[in-house]
Amino acid sequence: QPFEGVSTSLNQLKDLGLQLGILTSNSKVNVNRFLASNNLEVFDLIHSGASVFGKSKVIKGVLKKLNLTRQEVIYVGDETRDIEAAQAAGIRVISVSWGFNTREILSHQGPDFLIDAPHQLAEVCRNLIHSSDALIQE
């Protein structure tokens, strides 16, 4: 089961006009089965597979494939490895404390944002969008 509030949060992100993707070492079949059984079919991309060179190489490969800049991407994860991979790839990272690692452990890795509840995800993204809009208008 997804964590309580995740479905609402994902829909809020879509309402903001954001594209959502999943990077996982799990099989695409398993991911699609989970998403379908939980009404979470809101993702634009599901990238399945691991790299012997690490997650940061996978992130960089997806950015290149989709022609995205590092500034356009925010990585969301629940492990210290996610923070390390995002930082190595040069992208912002939102760490969520309701998953694999605790808030304390995550905070020591220095994520850009550390949130404790799914509703905060949309709040952080909304603030980032508004701050980017303000920079463009200046």
Side-chain angles (χ1 to χ4, degrees), residues 2-138:
F3 287 93
E4 187 175 331
V6 166
S7 178
T8 300
S9 185
L10 292 173
N11 286 315
Q12 289 172 341
L13 294 175
K14 290 305 286 185
D15 290 345
L16 289 172
L18 300 177
Q19 293 183 37
L20 306 178
I22 295 175
L23 300 180
T24 182
S25 57
N26 205 328
S27 78
K28 205 176 252 193
V29 170
N30 285 343
V31 173
N32 283 322
R33 188 177 299 136
F34 174 82
L35 295 174
S37 68
N38 290 287
N39 288 331
L40 295 174
E41 297 169 298
V42 296
F43 292 89
D44 303 288
L45 163 82
I46 299 171
H47 183 285
S48 176
S51 168
V52 295
F53 301 108
K55 268 187 186 179
S56 66
K57 294 288 185 190
V58 173
I59 294 169
K60 289 176 184 177
V62 170
L63 293 178
K64 185 174 182 178
K65 178 182 176 184
L66 299 177
N67 198 29
L68 295 169
T69 67
R70 289 179 171 101
Q71 295 76 24
E72 294 175 291
V73 176
I74 304 167
Y75 191 97
V76 179
D78 66 346
E79 297 183 52
T80 58
R81 293 182 310 161
D82 297 320
I83 299 168
E84 293 164 0
Q87 290 171 340
I91 60 174
R92 293 173 290 194
V93 60
I94 300 172
S95 292
V96 302
S97 66
W98 63 83
F100 186 77
N101 288 135
T102 66
R103 176 178 237 292
E104 183 179 6
I105 291 170
L106 293 168
S107 69
H108 289 298
Q109 294 297 120
D112 296 292
F113 304 93
L114 179 55
I115 61 175
D116 299 308
H119 74 272
Q120 293 175 303
L121 189 55
E123 291 172 16
V124 168
C125 290
R126 193 176 298 111
N127 289 336
L128 287 170
I129 290 168
H130 292 311
S131 65
S132 293
D133 289 345
L135 289 175
I136 292 170
Q137 291 175 3
E138 289 180 3

